[in-house]
Amino acid sequence: MRDPYEVLGVRKGASKEEIKKAYLELVKKYHPDKFKDNPLRELAEEKLKEINEAYNILMNDQYSNYEYSTYDPTSLYQKVRDLIMQGNIAQAENLLNQNPRNDAEWFYLMGIIYQKRGWINQAYRYFIEAYNRDPGNYEYRRAKEQFEMASRNYEWSAYNRGYRRHNDCDICTICQIIACWECCCDNDIGC
Amino acid sequence: MFGYVVPYKPELKVREYEYYKAVYCGICLQTKKIGYLPRVFLNYDFVFLYLVLKEHFKVKDELGKTRCIVHPIKERFFLKPNEILEYVSNQMVLLSFFKLYDNILDEKNIFSYAPYSILKLYVRKITKLHREQFEKIKELFNKQILLEKSGCENIDELAHNFGNILAEIFAYNGEELLRQIGYYTGVWVYIIDAIDDYIDDVKKKRYNCLKHHFKKCRHDKTLFEYELNILKVSLGNYLAILSDYIKRYNNSILNNIVQVGMYSKTQQVLEHFATNFFKELKE
């Protein structure tokens, strides 16, 4: 199951009042009555089920107290790393989500999980966060720089194949605009 | 798809350009066999799909010459029909159907309702061939609409879902490589489209998945630069992966599209976004 806090769209450790408010709003949004005779009905019902489950877990005090105290950070992170090594991404994410500790390592591991999934935008954000929290760490810096490198390499290969930008040359800019304009509204190409 | 996947024309050779146009005409003429209406939705992205599939299955295609309604005077090259071309044109009809379907659920727009009901008839014909695929795409589409309706703020989640739709379309026979190419094309297209539409969407108070990240940047230039850089890097990464896949085919038009066409499109959209963001969204 996904992190209940995420399902309800509240921050970790939100108060009961906040959780209740968010829950009621979501229920309104996905209420089956709203989707009458609509093909989205089934999906909405599924979503509602998830929301109810998340709400029950969060209102049931034990969740936060229990999960927060069972692991000390080092063993938790080791466990997550092991899970990632085994390729068990879903469970690793689950474990991390249940134990939000806002330190660099947490963000780094989350980044790896997203990277494995191919969600690069999210992953890059997490790596930046990890790096910002602990700029001295080689691992975090490398993870962040890998993305920047890949992007730069691609740009270089594109650049070398002929597409050049001349920001400081007026005539060239005009030519470029004409070329782009031609590209977009070429009438003689369409069938 | 939205017409972002195009070659960079100044870098094309004349014969490549002629061939590219011929494929476009080929798809158009093939679609005519299904019906006249879907030809309205023709766009260049499907030429990309054809080129990928053609290279993948090593199809030898032939060109012919003909006149058509749009070009009655001068004869033009067109691609003679083959199995792949038929598949591509079917997919085009399918996708335009879903686009209208999306519009109808979204806006209850009468103008899309009429073509929708006509397309429905064509689609019934096509789906006999690709039943399973159709169901899968439909499910993904519904999920996409639901995500957008619920105001999802996670760009990756939305782009991932859209990528899966294109993966389904590209995977002619469930081949993993084709699936990957489709996926990364879709992710890129979704994000670039969201950036391109952002200013318009904010003005008209429509949903846009980037709102969550850029809402805060209205008055903060450094934060804006920071967010823009994240987008730049992630788009660069998607394209890098895609160009790795495409390089295997060693086809110069495909290389042009991915390495120069999509690159210059990215630059163009980002630049336009950056210059207009503070100008247009003042209040």
Side-chain angles (χ1 to χ4, degrees), chain B residues 158-171:
Chain B
L158 286 151
H160 171 77
N161 198 49
F162 191 77
N164 278 339
I165 294 177
L166 285 209
E168 212 49 61
I169 287 174
F170 271 64

Side-chain angles (χ1 to χ4, degrees), chain A residues 29-30 39-40 43 119-122 125 128 147 150-151 154-155 158 161 163 165 186 188-191, chain B residues 8-9 11 17 21 25 44 70-71 76 101 150 154 156 160 227 234 237-238 258-260 263 271:
Chain A
K29 199 189 252 172
Y30 289 110
L40 300 182
L43 271 163
W119 294 22
I120 290 170
N121 194 303
Q122 251 346 294
R125 274 174 206 280
I128 290 178
F147 280 132
S151 168
Y154 168 77
E155 274 180 35
R161 283 201 80 231
Y163 181 74
R165 296 192 297 139
D186 185 347
D188 79 84
I189 195 177
C191 253
Chain B
Y8 182 65
K9 247 168 61 185
E11 278 284 304
Y17 180 54
K21 283 204 290 188
C25 287
Y44 293 109
V70 196
H71 308 285
R76 298 199 150 236
Y101 173 74
S150 66
N154 188 337
D156 275 318
H160 171 77
E227 288 289 345
S234 35
N237 270 282
Y238 293 127
V258 177
Q259 290 197 320
V260 202
Y263 170 74
E271 237 162 74

Side-chain angles (χ1 to χ4, degrees), chain B residues 5-6 26 33 38 48 80 91 119 131 133 140 156 161 167 172 187 192 207 213 227 241 266 270:
Chain B
V5 190
V6 289
K33 288 179 194 161
F48 178 69
K80 286 191 178 156
Q91 293 304 321
L119 268 189
R131 187 80 240 164
Q133 194 189 24
L140 286 167
D156 275 318
N161 198 49
Y172 183 64
V187 171
I192 211 82
Y207 167 79
H213 294 298
E227 288 289 345
I241 298 168
T266 312
L270 285 177

Side-chain angles (χ1 to χ4, degrees), chain B residues 120-170:
Chain B
K120 214 171 175 179
L121 299 174
Y122 299 137
V123 166
R124 223 173 269 155
K125 262 193 251 172
I126 297 167
T127 45
K128 271 184 200 145
L129 297 170
H130 316 284
R131 187 80 240 164
E132 213 173 297
Q133 194 189 24
F134 179 75
E135 289 301 327
K136 244 186 207 160
I137 296 176
K138 193 170 172 182
E139 195 180 304
L140 286 167
F141 241 91
N142 280 338
K143 202 175 157 202
Q144 188 85 15
I145 296 168
L146 192 74
L147 277 174
E148 291 185 359
K149 273 257 165 67
S150 66
C152 175
E153 288 169 343
N154 188 337
I155 311 169
D156 275 318
E157 194 173 350
L158 286 151
H160 171 77
N161 198 49
F162 191 77
N164 278 339
I165 294 177
L166 285 209
E168 212 49 61
I169 287 174
F170 271 64

Side-chain angles (χ1 to χ4, degrees), chain A residues 6-7 38-39 50 82 93 99 108 115 187:
Chain A
E6 204 181 305
V7 172
N38 190 317
E50 195 183 33
D82 288 345
E93 185 185 11
N99 298 272
Y108 171 70
Q115 188 184 15
N187 293 323

Side-chain angles (χ1 to χ4, degrees), chain A:
Chain A
M1 194 201 149
R2 278 169 65 204
D3 172 28
Y5 286 109
E6 204 181 305
V7 172
L8 293 179
V10 291
R11 68 186 162 74
K12 318 260 155 168
S15 72
K16 281 198 168 181
E17 280 305 305
E18 282 172 291
I19 293 171
K20 200 166 180 181
K21 207 175 137 206
Y23 169 72
L24 287 176
E25 254 169 45
L26 283 172
V27 168
K28 240 190 244 162
K29 199 189 252 172
Y30 289 110
H31 201 273
D33 287 350
K34 255 180 127 178
F35 292 94
K36 248 183 202 165
D37 306 323
N38 190 317
L40 300 182
R41 192 191 161 98
E42 259 171 48
L43 271 163
E45 272 170 8
E46 227 168 75
K47 188 93 187 165
L48 201 62
K49 218 167 110 193
E50 195 183 33
I51 292 164
N52 276 325
E53 232 168 83
Y55 179 69
N56 283 338
I57 291 176
L58 288 187
M59 286 321 243
N60 202 344
D61 262 336
Q62 283 183 338
Y63 177 78
S64 42
N65 296 337
Y66 169 77
E67 298 290 351
Y68 270 99
S69 53
T70 15
Y71 297 107
D72 75 284
T74 40
S75 73
L76 165 72
Y77 293 145
Q78 196 47 52
K79 213 168 172 183
V80 171
R81 272 171 196 266
D82 288 345
L83 282 172
I84 292 174
M85 283 282 273
Q86 291 157 19
N88 199 339
I89 303 296
Q91 209 178 332
E93 185 185 11
N94 213 346
L95 203 59
L96 267 185
N97 264 327
Q98 286 172 6
N99 298 272
R101 286 169 209 276
N102 297 326
D103 54 7
E105 178 86 4
W106 190 89
F107 281 97
Y108 171 70
L109 289 174
M110 208 58 174
I112 289 191
I113 288 169
Y114 277 105
Q115 188 184 15
K116 292 256 180 227
R117 254 198 222 162
W119 294 22
I120 290 170
N121 194 303
Q122 251 346 294
Y124 184 53
R125 274 174 206 280
Y126 279 117
F127 286 148
I128 290 178
E129 190 62 41
Y131 171 76
N132 284 345
R133 278 162 200 261
D134 185 3
N137 189 307
Y138 173 69
E139 215 178 0
Y140 307 157
R141 201 179 63 216
R142 202 190 50 188
K144 171 176 160 284
E145 280 173 357
Q146 253 173 11
F147 280 132
E148 286 154 10
M149 196 93 99
S151 168
R152 220 173 304 137
N153 282 345
Y154 168 77
E155 274 180 35
W156 261 106
S157 74
Y159 186 81
N160 286 338
R161 283 201 80 231
Y163 181 74
R164 295 200 162 54
R165 296 192 297 139
H166 305 274
N167 282 337
D168 45 4
C169 166
D170 280 333
I171 290 181
C172 291
T173 324
I174 293 167
C175 291
Q176 194 193 346
I177 289 168
I178 293 171
C180 286
W181 176 73
E182 257 213 345
C183 243
C184 301
C185 15
D186 185 347
N187 293 323
D188 79 84
I189 195 177
C191 253

